[in-house]
Amino acid sequence: MRKSDIFLRFILVNLALMGVIFFHARAKTEAHLPRLQQVGRMVEQLQLTDLCLTTEAWHTRNPSQADWHTPFQTHPLALEHFPSGAIVRPPESMRKPHAPVD
Amino acid sequence: MRRWIEKQRCLLDFTLSSLLRRKGKNIALAVVYTLIVFTLASVMMFTQALKKEASLILRETPEILVQKLAAGRHDLIPLSYASRIGQIRGVAEVKGRLWGYYFDPVMGANYTVMVSEDPSLDEGEILVGKGISRLRQVYKSNILSFRGCDGNYLAFKIKGTFEAESEIIASDLVLCSESDFRRLFGTPGGYATDLTVKVKNRKEIPTIAAKILQILPDTRPIRRDEILRTYDAVFDWRGGILLAVLAGAVLAFIIFAWDRAAGLSAEERREIGILKAIGWETADVLQMKFWEGLTISLSSFLLGILLAYGHVHFFSAGLFEPVLKGWSVLYPKFKLVPYVDPYQVATLFFFTVMPYTVATIVPSWRAATIDPDSVMRY
């Protein structure tokens, strides 16, 4: 078999698998719908506001509810030190700049 | 057309043989290339899936949440505020929410304790998330003790655990009765952690939030769309910061690939010279180099994307887990809804395959346009 045939077949198989990915994602989304609806009902019933992705710090457990000072608990000049705090930043509302002072 | 296809196949045959002659170098390049695409695509797919999950799940979150601020910090809110908010036209219902964090010194884990409105949950009974059950090895009908604000331990009977499907929202959740919550944290009667507001017409949410701020200036209303936007921003940034961390690796790869693709070796120059000398046109040489660039970049791109999908959706993004987990003792187990954005895949293709392919052509064009004799002597 020619080398080009082997290569083209390899690319075709990969492209077919790429197509499978899109179909798999769509099919799985439909399969996940009952779970998502169930979890959504629970969110409504318990009036929850955040996903439980990381539980190490308050502001990364409930990013939408954290108060202005939470990421700087240790002392006023402390840099954020939780590992997940390095990737979960404080919410938009907390990052509004203060009024200009000069 | 057929002739053209046959010519391209011949060029591809030649290109593959040429690449195989420098097997070691090219395989190393393809492996690094694949790894870079894999990492970038993993970050992209993981953040997309998290955003999708958050947008689907948090659609039912309270329409407006009202927090009281004292000296810029979140404080307990008097329930009397609820009646004042209830008087705003368009407000359907205002409820107090009681919730807080409990640090478990036994395991060093943080739990979220919340009051349930479920009347079947009696005093002394709790419902716990799967994460807590797994961590403390406690199950239905077991007793779990929490240290109260007065230093005394309060024992609770576990009425049940939340289903595994809900881990993404309730893994660390403890649901208890109102009296138990107030005893545990010493929250005085007449106060709640925050208030939830239901409005009659969703279009009026921003107006009502503004009115709340007007009549209660010491509060912070958080709208549902702000919560959803927070997640959008958090995950966008999450993706961004991971990409920033990866930037060093990506830059190293770019230098490596550029050097590999743009700087022709003496052997490659000689090869071009010989091809020209035996009658190849400049266009043929360029086409051959195009195939060379495409062979490596397209194979690496496709393999990288496939591996990234497997990593994120079949192995639950295991490589990112240590970052997300951080110092968390309690970590939820969850499977994300697979989501692949064709636009993002196309963007990744454009930024990975195109530059490399182009970078291989330019120096070859330079070598192919000069006299074969001088190229061979070089």
Side-chain angles (χ1 to χ4, degrees):
Chain A
M1 194 187 284
R2 287 170 68 169
K3 286 190 178 90
S4 57
D5 286 345
I6 298 170
F7 175 73
L8 289 173
R9 279 179 195 185
F10 168 75
I11 293 294
L12 279 176
V13 168
N14 276 300
L15 283 173
L17 284 172
M18 282 278 282
V20 170
I21 278 181
F22 283 99
F23 280 110
H24 179 262
R26 183 169 285 186
K28 276 282 171 188
T29 305
E30 278 168 27
H32 274 268
L33 270 181
R35 172 184 74 85
L36 291 169
Q37 282 166 350
Q38 187 195 339
V39 176
R41 274 195 298 274
M42 203 168 151
V43 166
E44 189 179 13
Q45 196 188 345
L46 299 176
Q47 302 189 306
L48 302 175
T49 53
D50 289 273
L51 298 184
C52 175
L53 291 174
T54 166
T55 59
E56 63 174 341
W58 300 351
H59 62 286
T60 59
R61 168 63 180 91
N62 286 296
S64 74
Q65 306 297 301
D67 77 27
W68 290 62
H69 296 273
T70 315
F72 310 102
Q73 286 285 315
T74 325
H75 63 84
L77 291 175
L79 289 173
E80 169 58 53
H81 58 268
F82 286 106
S84 64
I87 52 168
V88 182
R89 69 171 171 176
E92 195 75 33
S93 56
M94 289 166 59
R95 288 181 292 106
K96 282 179 192 157
H98 292 288
V101 288
D102 52 10
Chain B
M1 186 65 185
R2 224 187 144 128
R3 213 177 142 195
W4 182 83
I5 292 172
E6 191 50 41
K7 184 184 171 186
Q8 297 307 316
R9 283 183 68 192
C10 291
L11 281 171
L12 185 56
D13 280 333
F14 182 85
T15 307
L16 290 167
S17 304
S18 167
L19 286 173
L20 286 172
R21 274 198 297 276
R22 294 179 289 271
K23 213 184 291 174
K25 259 186 182 177
N26 288 316
I27 288 176
L29 175 65
V31 168
V32 177
Y33 208 142
T34 306
L35 270 176
I36 290 286
V37 174
F38 162 77
T39 319
L40 293 176
S42 291
V43 172
M44 188 184 84
M45 287 180 189
F46 186 59
T47 51
Q48 281 291 326
L50 278 174
K51 275 164 77 171
K52 179 95 174 165
E53 190 94 8
S55 71
L56 289 170
I57 288 177
L58 298 176
R59 268 196 302 213
E60 304 304 331
T61 202
E63 286 162 340
I64 304 177
L65 260 151
V66 185
Q67 289 182 346
K68 185 176 182 292
L69 295 180
R73 305 200 71 161
H74 184 192
D75 197 15
L76 294 176
I77 191 164
L79 286 171
S80 58
Y81 280 28
S83 53
R84 291 180 68 186
I85 294 169
Q87 283 165 8
I88 297 171
R89 188 179 290 179
V91 171
E93 192 181 28
V94 187
K95 279 185 190 170
R97 221 168 53 125
L98 277 167
W99 66 279
Y101 301 106
Y102 176 80
F103 176 72
D104 181 359
V106 180
M107 307 307 292
N110 286 312
Y111 305 153
T112 303
V113 184
M114 202 169 190
V115 167
S116 165
E117 286 184 350
D118 182 2
S120 67
L121 198 65
D122 292 330
E123 208 171 296
E125 285 183 337
I126 51 171
L127 288 168
V128 295
K130 274 272 180 250
I132 298 176
S133 168
R134 196 168 46 237
L135 187 72
R136 293 290 302 262
Q137 295 288 303
V138 286
Y139 306 95
K140 194 179 173 183
S141 302
N142 287 172
I143 300 293
L144 192 60
S145 295
F146 293 140
R147 192 167 185 263
C149 60
D150 54 2
N152 293 322
Y153 280 89
L154 301 171
F156 296 99
K157 185 181 174 194
I158 296 172
K159 196 184 172 193
T161 55
F162 295 115
E163 287 174 28
E165 284 78 23
S166 65
E167 276 218 45
I168 195 155
I169 53 159
S171 185
D172 69 335
L173 203 62
V174 177
L175 275 192
C176 63
S177 68
E178 186 180 334
S179 54
D180 284 335
F181 183 91
R182 292 192 190 278
R183 262 194 311 146
L184 186 64
F185 294 110
T187 312
Y191 285 88
T193 311
D194 48 29
L195 301 174
T196 59
V197 181
K198 205 177 228 179
V199 298
K200 287 174 189 159
N201 181 357
R202 287 184 179 192
K203 286 181 184 166
E204 289 181 353
I205 292 176
T207 319
I208 290 171
K211 279 187 183 169
I212 292 171
L213 200 58
Q214 202 181 351
I215 61 166
L216 299 165
D218 60 343
T219 59
R220 177 163 76 123
I222 303 167
R223 304 196 309 262
R224 179 187 284 170
D225 63 307
E226 285 177 327
I227 292 175
L228 293 172
R229 265 192 291 135
T230 296
Y231 273 82
D232 254 4
V234 162
F235 296 142
D236 268 351
W237 195 77
R238 184 189 290 258
I241 195 75
L242 276 176
L243 290 184
V245 171
L246 289 171
V250 173
L251 276 174
F253 168 72
I254 289 170
I255 294 165
F256 173 59
W258 182 262
D259 180 58
R260 178 73 199 86
L264 287 181
S265 65
E267 189 193 340
E268 283 167 313
R269 278 174 186 276
R270 202 163 43 246
E271 188 183 25
I272 291 173
I274 293 167
L275 290 174
K276 290 272 292 188
I278 60 168
W280 280 45
E281 298 283 330
T282 304
D284 298 334
V285 175
L286 293 185
Q287 281 178 33
M288 188 264 280
K289 282 290 166 187
F290 165 78
W291 279 114
E292 191 179 305
L294 197 71
T295 305
I296 291 181
S297 55
L298 188 62
S299 318
S300 307
F301 172 79
L302 291 171
L303 275 176
I305 293 275
L306 293 172
L307 289 172
Y309 189 82
H311 167 231
V312 173
H313 296 300
F314 293 113
F315 295 98
S316 304
L319 293 176
F320 298 147
E321 197 180 293
V323 186
L324 266 181
K325 210 170 173 178
W327 298 346
S328 314
V329 175
L330 195 156
Y331 187 68
K333 282 184 182 168
F334 56 86
K335 278 226 179 263
L336 295 167
V337 178
Y339 181 69
V340 187
D341 184 356
Y343 172 75
Q344 285 208 329
V345 174
T347 309
L348 197 61
F349 176 84
F350 187 79
F351 282 107
T352 53
V353 176
M354 299 293 281
Y356 185 80
T357 310
V358 172
T360 49
I361 294 175
V362 177
S364 312
W365 173 73
R366 279 199 203 128
T369 47
I370 49 176
D371 184 41
D373 180 47
S374 59
V375 174
M376 280 188 280
R377 279 172 199 276
Y378 181 71

